[in-house]
Amino acid sequence: MTTVETFPTLAEAARAMGSGAAFFGGGTVLMRDVNAGEGPQRLVRSADPALKEVRAQGETVRLGAGVTMARILAERDLAFLHSVARQIGGPQVRNMGTLGGNLFAPHPYGDFAVALIALGARAVLAGQGGARPVEELMRERARPPLVAAVEIPRPRSGREFSFLKVSRVKPKGVSVLSVAAFLPAEGGRIRGARVAWGAMGPAPMRGQGAERALEGGALDAATIARAAAQAAEGLDPPTDALASAWYRKEVAGVHLRRLLERMERG
Amino acid sequence: MAKKPVTFTLNGRESAAFAEEGQNLLDFLRRSVGDLSPKYGCGQGGCGGCTVLIDGEPHLSCLTLAEAAAGRKVETASGLATGPVLHRLQEAFMERFAAQCGFCTPGMLVSAKALLDRNPRPTREEVIEALSGNLCRCTGYEPIIEAVLDAAGERARA
Ligand SMILES: Cc1cc2nc3c(=O)[nH]c(=O)nc-3n(C[C@H](O)[C@H](O)[C@H](O)COP(=O)(O)OP(=O)(O)OC[C@H]3O[C@@H](n4cnc5c(N)ncnc54)[C@H](O)[C@@H]3O)c2cc1C
Ligand code: FES
Ligand code: FES
């Protein structure tokens, strides 16, 4: 049996977390378990307006953890995130599913988290100062800390960041894999390459093989070929009803190449 | 287990009932409120049969906590007709044979209504996108898409 507790502020919600509690975002993952009679003992909700906060201007965008995919799509200044949000679920799921929930949604979900990791986003935890890299939180998925907001560095141009999702059913299918790349360049050379994968490990993760191949190079055919060849390095994809681990590793390079070629064309 | 009173607007009318702890909105609407138009297909978010509008936007009622509907405007397919007069979408669904078994129809109708309220002249692609969270095992979707486009056309002419 699941009980539901609602708190006016995030600070109070944070204090109520702990034994048997899960924080309730949009519920698109949690309610499935509740409906199946396998929900957590306690659902903790909060009506704190900070959860829905959208600060879309400036070099760093700040989004409350309770911001939905639909809300992101409605914000012109968040255009760099639109192709990601648009590819998550159908209209109903986008009206309900939050950014915070996407960080901890199980395989094959977490497409938004993939984009955030590539962008080097940081999570602000409720009741704590400072912010921690989103990728660090991926290691704490068994007991997620309560996320209040996410800070996302805005790419300087549309060419710097791109996201690609591969699914069998269109629109609305879940990921065979997803991949995002953030490739800032200085003087024609990539500096600080970040590549992130979804559905290629226990949680969304960095693609270190591809990053190494891209770093310091120009985004040209030779660099892209090298990155594609090293794409699967360090990835540990699961086998599920959509694809086998072998298949996912086999096609990782193909899809990374398509993503990078799209970025090269601009 | 404590029951929680939930007051909300259902199809324009003030409504109130008690929700059980952890009860989803679909079960609440069907069993506690008595609106049988939203359908239980999967209880897992996959089929869209339970789609209702909350503050005008499509939501899966099976994945919504009943108590989260408090103070909000809920619309279901039951609210589409005005007395004996069917909604344009319902007329168009009939004309196009867009319902066979009819199980998906209430969800399709409200998803389509949300689209037309926001975008009165959608393209075919926009219709497909708007219905992409609603499964139909009977019609092959074509008649449904045509019906929504028809309803949009009539609305523009009216
Ligand atoms: C039909 C369908 C299709 C879907 N398609 C996709 C898809 O294409 N891509 C995709 O990525 N996902 C998909 N999902 C999964 C899910 O809808 C999304 O991942 C969504 O973003 C999850 O957010 P939520 O707020 O609904 O999560 P919830 O169910 O509320 O929470 C999920 C998990 O995150 C935790 N959590 C929530 N908020 C916080 C917070 N602020 N701090 C700490 N922990 C938190 C919860 O405790 C829980 O463990 C789909 C789901 C359905 C039902
Ligand atoms: S019953 Fe809600 S999506 Fe199937
Ligand atoms: S008419 Fe039977 S499921 Fe759509």
Side-chain angles (χ1 to χ4, degrees):
Chain A
M1 193 60 193
T2 301
T3 62
V4 184
E5 301 155 44
T6 306
F7 298 92
T9 67
L10 258 180
E12 288 161 279
R15 280 196 293 278
M17 295 301 293
S19 71
F23 187 77
F24 193 86
T28 57
V29 173
L30 281 173
M31 276 306 276
R32 292 154 69 148
D33 293 341
V34 172
N35 290 344
E38 293 161 5
Q41 275 171 353
R42 298 165 55 226
L43 295 177
V44 172
R45 300 167 69 218
S46 173
D48 199 323
L51 277 171
K52 304 249 179 239
E53 182 194 34
V54 173
R55 265 193 260 157
Q57 281 90 29
E59 274 178 30
T60 303
V61 166
R62 185 180 161 113
L63 302 177
V67 168
T68 63
M69 297 300 134
R71 179 70 186 83
I72 289 167
L73 287 167
E75 188 68 53
R76 209 175 288 237
D77 289 327
L78 296 178
F80 70 102
L81 295 171
H82 285 183
S83 85
V84 189
R86 198 179 299 119
Q87 292 185 68
I88 291 177
Q92 299 97 321
V93 167
R94 291 194 289 274
N95 282 329
M96 300 170 70
T98 67
L99 168 54
N102 202 271
L103 298 180
F104 304 110
H107 172 86
Y109 301 141
D111 296 316
F112 206 83
V114 171
L116 291 181
I117 291 172
L119 285 163
R122 299 165 75 83
V124 181
L125 302 186
Q128 292 180 29
R132 290 174 58 197
V134 166
E135 63 195 277
E136 242 177 71
L137 299 188
M138 295 299 113
R139 292 193 279 276
E140 293 159 38
R141 286 183 135 212
R143 289 187 57 96
L146 180 51
V147 176
V150 172
E151 296 175 344
I152 313 166
R154 182 195 302 280
R156 278 171 301 185
S157 74
R159 278 189 84 158
E160 268 187 8
F161 170 71
S162 199
F163 171 84
L164 180 148
K165 170 172 165 174
V166 183
S167 56
R168 298 197 188 276
V169 178
K170 292 187 187 69
K172 199 198 116 161
V174 296
S175 281
V176 170
L177 63 81
S178 60
V179 55
F182 179 52
L183 306 176
E186 272 167 39
R189 302 273 153 195
I190 297 164
R191 300 267 178 244
R194 296 178 66 95
V195 174
W197 295 93
M200 291 303 259
M205 63 197 286
R206 295 275 292 274
Q208 276 150 359
E211 287 178 359
R212 229 177 294 119
L214 290 163
E215 188 64 30
L219 191 58
D220 56 21
T223 309
I224 292 174
R226 227 176 18 251
Q230 293 180 32
E233 198 187 299
L235 303 180
D236 178 23
T239 291
D240 59 20
L242 296 169
S244 66
W246 174 85
Y247 176 81
R248 285 189 159 101
K249 283 185 100 155
E250 209 58 25
V251 299
V254 175
H255 294 296
L256 179 67
R257 174 195 297 275
R258 288 181 190 163
L259 175 80
L260 296 173
E261 283 174 352
R262 200 165 75 192
M263 293 174 85
E264 184 194 12
R265 286 194 301 270
Chain B
M1 207 48 73
K3 291 201 173 195
K4 298 180 185 177
V6 179
T7 307
F8 65 111
T9 309
L10 179 61
N11 297 322
R13 233 180 267 153
E14 277 295 302
S15 189
F18 284 99
E20 286 154 37
E21 197 76 51
Q23 188 178 21
N24 67 51
L25 179 62
L26 174 62
D27 195 54
F28 174 74
L29 286 171
R30 291 180 62 86
R31 291 202 300 140
S32 312
V33 179
D35 185 340
L36 297 175
S37 65
K39 299 291 182 250
Y40 175 87
C42 64
Q44 293 289 302
C47 73
C50 66
T51 304
V52 302
L53 307 188
I54 301 181
D55 296 335
E57 295 298 337
H59 284 67
L60 299 167
S61 62
C62 74
L63 300 186
T64 303
L65 278 172
E67 61 186 85
R72 306 184 71 179
K73 271 174 48 195
V74 178
E75 292 170 73
T76 67
S78 310
L80 284 176
T82 312
V85 183
L86 293 182
H87 189 277
R88 273 198 182 79
L89 277 163
Q90 290 170 307
E91 287 284 354
F93 267 56
M94 222 164 59
E95 292 297 322
R96 287 283 182 176
F97 294 99
Q100 283 183 28
C101 79
F103 199 76
C104 71
T105 311
M108 289 287 182
L109 285 169
V110 293
S111 284
K113 176 177 188 288
L115 170 69
L116 298 190
D117 285 350
R118 186 169 13 92
N119 175 4
R121 290 305 299 269
T123 63
R124 192 185 161 78
E125 282 62 43
E126 287 166 338
V127 172
I128 293 172
E129 175 59 42
L131 299 180
S132 65
N134 294 75
L135 299 188
C136 175
R137 296 292 81 180
C138 303
T139 65
Y141 300 100
E142 273 311 312
I144 300 178
I145 296 163
E146 291 299 325
V148 176
L149 288 169
D150 278 5
E154 275 175 46
R155 182 179 296 210
R157 253 180 275 130

